[in-house]
Amino acid sequence: MKVSYNWLKKYIQTDLSPEELGKVLTDTGLEVESIEKIEAIQGGLQGVVVGHVHACEKHPDADKLNVTTVSIGTEELQIVCGAPNVAAGQKVVVATVGTTLYPKPDEAFQIKKAKIRGVESFGMLCAEDELGIGHSHAGIIVLPEDTPVGLAASSYFDLSDDYQIEIGLTPNRADAMGHIGVARDIKAALNYHQKAGLTLTLPTVQMPAVTGNLPISVEIDNQTDCLRYCGVSMTDVNVAPSPEWLQKALRSVGLNPINNLVDISNFVMRELGTPLHIFDAKSVNGKVVVRTAKAGEELETLDNVQRKLQGSELLIANATEAMCIAGVFGGAHSGVNEQTTSIFIESALFDAVSVRKTARIHGLNTDASFRFERGVDPTLTMYALERCVQLIQEVAGGQVAMPTFDWKGAIPQEKTISISLNRVNQLIGCQIDKSDVISILKDLDIHVTNDNGDTLDIQIPAYRVDVTREADVIEEVLRIFGFNLVPIPEKWNLSLPIAPKINKDHWQRTMSESLVGKGYSEVMNNSLTKSAYVANLGMNQLKEEHQVRMLNPLSQDLDVMRQSLLYGLLENIAHNQNRQSPNLRLFEFGKTYAKYTSGYVETQQLIICTTGQRHSDNWLSPEKGKDTLTSYFDLKGVLVGLLERLGFSSSLQEKALSNQLFEDGQAFEVHKKTMAEIGWAPAELLNAFGIKNPVYYAVVNWDLVMDLLTRVKIEYSELPKAFATRRDFSLLIDQQVSFASLRSVALQADRKILKSVGLFDVYEGKNLDKGKKSYALSFILQDGDRTLTDQEIEACMTKIQANLEKECGAILRN
């Protein structure tokens, strides 16, 4: 938000420079992002001074030129001038050699020493248009006789520069959306730190007597979204360009002047933070209705866009049609124009949520919606109207033509709470005198109603929508007291827990670095996504009723919180594939969100995916083909490696997968809880995103990983003293039997000397019965202290064979 340095000084009498004032604002929580100098006239008329024409003679070789001798106080200059009104004895405006003038912002020219028709000229006597302060070129500017010679033209014309201060206004600071609110913070800070004794007084206003005759009835149909509505009509107004002071004020905050009526409404909004709207009385046609839009109703807005209304918007209408979207945007045919002579002025208070929803529905962000969304001061609604009428009469004339209409609904009221001075000092971290606390609060319009010793009963103004609790009040005291003044103690007292705490950031960083080391790239997707994904591609796994929907979605593509990280990753793959980058290894740490009857659930997950070619093109890589594409087992190796790195190797169990978001795959359980799921994406999902290659992905429940890490114990053992022995089985098994089940059964036979089970060959097809396949398994046996005997080995292998035949139907092949 932009405020003007000179404008602020109308309410706060201070000699602080713009930079010093910017520091004060930043210290109070209104962070200043930039300070920009605004020259009243480009170049500031540097080098332009008042001169006295001592002599004026005809040019010897030009009938229309004169040769003048002009004193500028420090020297006399010979200047050739062609103006018809130049004469000896005049006080004039002189641009000296080296001065740069800007008749128009994009047209600059420099005054140089010149020879005109053989006569040297050392400057220029200036007309209005040449200085950029007017449009007349009939002759040079002639000043009053008592004007001091040598006086800078900028001082004579009172061209004081201004400074535009841009504040990064946070959404909670609705009270600082006008110059008055910003000035209030300056007053409080300077009164506390400099004992400045400043006061802040609003301009005095009074509604003029009714002298015209233009009665307009007002009807409030929607009394939920309209909280207060004030209005008055005026006749005999004269629409014209605004006076210079008004144009200058608006330009100082980045607004372009339009006409005197519109400019006054913008001026009052920037002064008080209260939006106003002025209607041409002809469009009102005797009646104003504040109502809800009808579904399908259309309205052409000021940007000449025909908008179809959904039926939830609050409208300002006449008896037959809508005139504008309340608190958001004006209509194209109801506003002030050059032919306007009678007007209806609206000053209202609209529900913040209603305005926010309407603005988001239509993709609008206006000065009015910006303020109504955050909450304007309900006590200034009538004052803003009176201020507007007063200024209109000053710059556009006119008569008040009806008694003021003032309807009040559920207007926000002042709040009364109690604060503890002990709690103030405790939260801030240092001692602040009670008198200072009371003084700070008073300067912020927060008044103490009862002083009960350590406890103060305070009354919070209605416009401070962000101050509702004791902690909020303490924050108000702190930001005026100064965050930088809170001392840092030399001694810190800490309580260290005995039980080790899992460092979640460390483990997430460790896993990320491990994946990056394996060639994976991290992505970060928006937590907001489109509800259509679950509706159309939920695969009966994700349900629409579990979606967490946005009350005020920015668009239909961002209307729900994501239930799965998968869709964002598929978007990434499609985006890269369409830009000739189909070979991808990606991962993302992120949260998913769901809503159940028991409440909302938020889960931290890790998703890993791989697609495309296994190797990049080089002279060592095999030719492209089906066998060179990345596979499920590539990703499985990465996943198992991560879980083993986390310490879950001994407790990891493979189970059948039942998640419909996978075409097929496996689940990994730890302590009978599903920690990870891995498989490949269904063809339906790939087709929906236009992805050509298979996509293999794994989802890890990172919250469960962090919970179970506390059970992981690191055990150390010395290197074995004896060699290991390997035995192999070639087994004939049914198609549905997995290696995981074979491995599990084998390990249960003898956990003492059987160290590992591996799969080194798979055969399916010719010479095997239908529904059968052949697996070749390796078994590593070892005792850490001694060499195993043949009898021990054979006994173990016999038991393994028996268990495999009994549990899995495996037959040993010859």
Side-chain angles (χ1 to χ4, degrees), residues 582-583 585 611-617 624-625 628-630 693:
N583 307 322
R585 292 176 176 83
T611 184
Q613 298 294 324
R614 180 180 288 113
H615 305 288
S616 59
D617 292 338
K624 290 183 180 179
T628 65
L629 291 175
T630 187
N693 291 322

Side-chain angles (χ1 to χ4, degrees), residues 537 570 574 577 681-693 695:
L537 301 170
L570 292 178
Q577 173 192 273
E684 183 180 343
L685 282 179
L686 301 185
N687 293 336
F689 285 88
I691 298 172
K692 300 172 183 178
N693 291 322
V695 174

Side-chain angles (χ1 to χ4, degrees), residues 14-73:
T14 175
D15 295 327
L16 294 180
S17 68
E19 290 73 20
E20 292 170 331
L21 200 62
K23 185 179 185 305
V24 171
L25 289 172
T26 298
D27 288 345
T28 62
L30 297 176
E31 184 176 359
V32 172
E33 297 179 341
S34 66
I35 300 176
E36 180 182 346
K37 185 177 181 179
I38 301 175
E39 295 176 325
I41 290 181
Q42 194 169 354
L45 297 186
Q46 293 294 318
V48 182
V49 297
V50 174
H52 180 221
V53 182
H54 286 312
C56 179
E57 300 176 354
K58 286 291 183 181
H59 192 289
D61 294 324
D63 293 339
K64 294 184 178 181
L65 297 179
N66 296 290
V67 180
T68 64
T69 303
V70 182
S71 171
I72 59 172

Side-chain angles (χ1 to χ4, degrees), residues 557-584:
D557 290 342
L558 300 171
D559 60 341
V560 297
M561 305 290 283
R562 61 187 177 189
Q563 279 195 67
S564 171
L565 302 180
L566 175 61
Y567 302 114
L569 223 56
L570 292 178
E571 286 179 351
N572 302 144
I573 293 170
H575 179 86
N576 283 274
Q577 173 192 273
N578 295 337
R579 287 156 182 79
Q580 299 182 335
S581 298
N583 307 322
L584 299 167

Side-chain angles (χ1 to χ4, degrees), residues 68-139:
T68 64
T69 303
V70 182
S71 171
I72 59 172
T74 56
E75 59 180 321
E76 287 193 348
L77 303 174
Q78 178 176 283
I79 298 175
V80 176
C81 177
N85 64 330
V86 65
Q90 292 175 334
K91 297 290 180 69
V92 294
V93 180
V94 182
T96 57
V97 173
T99 298
T100 300
L101 297 180
Y102 297 85
K104 296 180 180 178
D106 55 346
E107 295 181 8
F109 71 88
Q110 189 176 41
I111 305 300
K112 299 178 181 178
K113 175 184 175 182
K115 184 175 284 189
I116 303 174
R117 294 288 185 94
V119 178
E120 288 187 321
S121 180
F122 299 89
M124 184 176 78
L125 306 185
C126 302
E128 284 184 5
D129 63 334
E130 292 165 335
L131 295 178
I133 62 174
H135 303 287
S136 174
H137 194 69

